[in-house]
C-alpha cells in the first residue's frame, strides 16, 4: 500500500489529494470516520464501487488504519463512497431483496443477515459527509 498515493485508487494523477489530518477542525478530520463507515457499509452490502487494497470488515480498524497512516484521497474517488451514494446503494439492495422474496419478513434468514450487518452502524444521518 502506497500511503503517498490515493488510499482508494492507489493512483498518482494530476488531481490533488485531500489530506484530512492537515485540516484545522475536528469535523474536517472526521472524514476518516465517515469514509471508514461508508466503505464498510458498501462492503457489507457487497456493492463496493472499486477494489480496495486494505481490509474493509471493521470500520474502527479502517479508521485507525487510515488515520494512523495519514491517508489521502482524490475527491473523485471519495465521492464514490459518499453517504448519498451509500444510501442509494442500500435502497437498491433492499429493493433487490424484495424482488427475490416478495414476502419480506423477519423470519427470512437472508433478510436477517442483511439487518444484522447494519445493527451496529450509526444511522446515515449521524455520519458526517466530507466536503472540500
Amino acid at each position: 500500500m502506497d500511503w503517498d498515493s490515493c488510499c482508494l485508487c492507489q493512483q498518482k494523477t494530476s488531481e490533488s489529494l485531500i489530506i484530512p489530518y492537515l485540516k484545522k477542525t475536528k469535523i474536517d478530520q472526521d472524514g476518516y470516520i465517515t469514509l471508514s463507515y461508508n466503505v464498510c457499509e458498501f462492503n457489507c452490502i457487497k456493492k463496493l464501487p472499486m477494489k480496495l487494497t486494505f481490509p474493509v470488515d471493521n470500520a474502527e480498524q479502517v479508521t485507525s488504519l487510515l488515520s494512523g497512516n495519514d491517508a489521502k484521497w482524490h475527491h473523485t474517488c471519495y465521492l464514490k463512497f459518499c453517504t448519498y451514494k451509500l444510501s442509494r446503494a442500500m435502497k437498491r439492495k433492499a429493493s433487490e431483496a424484495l424482488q427475490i422474496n416478495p414476502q419480506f419478513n423477519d423470519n427470512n434468514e437472508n433478510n436477517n443477515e442483511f439487518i444484522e450487518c447494519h445493527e451496529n452502524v450509526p444511522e446515515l444521518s449521524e455520519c458526517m459527509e466530507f466536503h472540500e
Side-chain angles (χ1 to χ4, degrees):
M1 177 89 178
D2 179 7
W3 293 106
D4 290 326
S5 298
C6 173
C7 67
L8 300 172
C9 74
Q10 286 292 285
Q11 304 278 323
K12 290 187 179 182
T13 68
S14 60
E15 182 181 0
S16 61
L17 293 169
I18 294 171
I19 308 170
Y21 68 88
L22 292 179
K23 297 296 183 179
K24 295 183 181 349
T25 66
K26 171 115 174 67
I27 291 173
D28 289 333
Q29 293 170 353
D30 284 344
Y32 288 127
I33 296 169
T34 302
L35 178 63
S36 299
Y37 276 106
N38 288 359
V39 162
C40 291
E41 281 293 283
F42 272 110
N43 182 58
C44 185
I45 62 172
K46 304 198 182 337
K47 299 281 184 188
L48 278 170
M50 65 174 43
K51 185 177 179 182
L52 300 172
T53 58
F54 53 87
V56 294
D57 297 332
N58 180 295
E60 289 178 14
Q61 289 175 352
V62 173
T63 300
S64 184
L65 178 70
L66 295 178
S67 62
N69 288 287
D70 297 332
K72 312 158 197 56
W73 51 75
H74 298 118
H75 185 66
T76 53
C77 293
Y78 179 86
L79 287 176
K80 294 177 182 178
F81 293 94
C82 75
T83 303
Y84 173 76
K85 290 193 177 178
L86 173 61
S87 67
R88 301 283 297 160
M90 291 175 85
K91 286 178 185 177
R92 281 191 304 275
K93 181 73 174 183
S95 177
E96 290 169 9
L98 282 173
Q99 289 175 358
I100 292 170
N101 182 6
Q103 298 169 352
F104 193 88
N105 62 46
D106 290 337
N107 296 326
N108 184 302
E109 290 179 22
N110 291 335
N111 296 335
N112 287 339
E113 179 181 314
F114 181 76
I115 291 166
E116 287 171 15
C117 182
H118 297 87
E119 284 178 348
N120 298 319
V121 178
E123 292 294 319
L124 288 176
S125 61
E126 293 176 14
C127 293
M128 290 176 279
E129 188 162 343
F130 179 81
H131 294 282
E132 179 62 11

